[in-house]
Amino acid sequence: MDDYIVMPKIRRMMMLAVLSLVFVAVGIFILSLSINEQFEGILPAIIGGLAIAVFGLCFIYYIYVLIKREPALIISKEGIIDQSSYIAAGLVKWNEIEAIDFIHFSGQIYLGIFTFDRELIVNRSSGVKRVLNVMNKGLLESQVNIPVKNLACSIDELVEAINQRWENAISTEG
């Protein structure tokens, strides 16, 4: 059985890049107002600096995704390869997956992958990605959370591809 490859939605990535750039501009504006002493205190400078840093990194990431044009998700005979975000889990093997379900969080639908080892993804990551994965783990029970809105496929096709390959992996394993 061939791999099921899902690309990211280009328009959505472009929209997120533009929004990130807008927030960088807002951060620069707030920072410039705090430097010109039109805002009192250090809080506006901190807010402006954080907006520039966070959304600047987001902008760089989205531009990188647009240029690189790699799959966001690959459903293979080995497992699910998540490359859908900066803190992507990489390969999660079928024998590491306990359950897969759709999770509704903050008005968005995520493909949630629950692993037998609750620390699996955190232990595989390092540095900033590790910190972000720990924070992510605090928000949702699943270890891998893939935003469905960013995937260029239907939910039905995704579920069918996962079920076929997961059942095939279980039948060849046992």
Side-chain angles (χ1 to χ4, degrees), residues 19-135:
L19 285 174
S20 296
L21 195 57
V22 167
F23 280 105
V24 167
V26 169
I28 291 170
F29 178 72
I30 292 171
L31 188 62
S32 69
L33 288 178
S34 69
I35 290 172
N36 292 333
E37 298 178 11
Q38 292 184 3
F39 284 140
E40 281 189 35
I42 195 164
L43 187 62
I46 292 171
I47 292 171
L50 280 174
I52 293 167
V54 169
F55 291 105
L57 290 173
C58 289
F59 176 73
I60 291 167
Y61 174 76
Y62 291 125
I63 294 300
Y64 175 78
V65 168
L66 288 167
I67 291 170
K68 199 165 183 188
R69 294 286 300 139
E70 286 189 346
L73 198 63
I74 301 171
I75 315 297
S76 71
K77 62 183 176 187
E78 291 86 28
I80 298 175
I81 302 169
D82 170 31
Q83 302 174 141
S84 63
S85 67
Y86 177 71
I87 60 170
L91 174 63
V92 182
K93 296 179 181 176
W94 294 119
N95 62 0
E96 298 171 329
I97 298 174
E98 180 179 7
I100 298 173
D101 199 4
F102 288 99
I103 300 168
H104 297 269
F105 179 73
S106 189
Q108 201 168 355
I109 300 172
Y110 293 88
L111 175 67
I113 301 173
F114 298 84
T115 59
F116 290 107
D117 178 4
R118 299 292 182 228
E119 299 294 321
L120 179 74
I121 305 306
V122 172
N123 291 339
R124 286 184 182 174
S125 54
S126 61
V128 175
K129 286 186 181 184
R130 185 181 187 101
V131 171
L132 293 173
N133 274 315
V134 168
M135 291 170 53

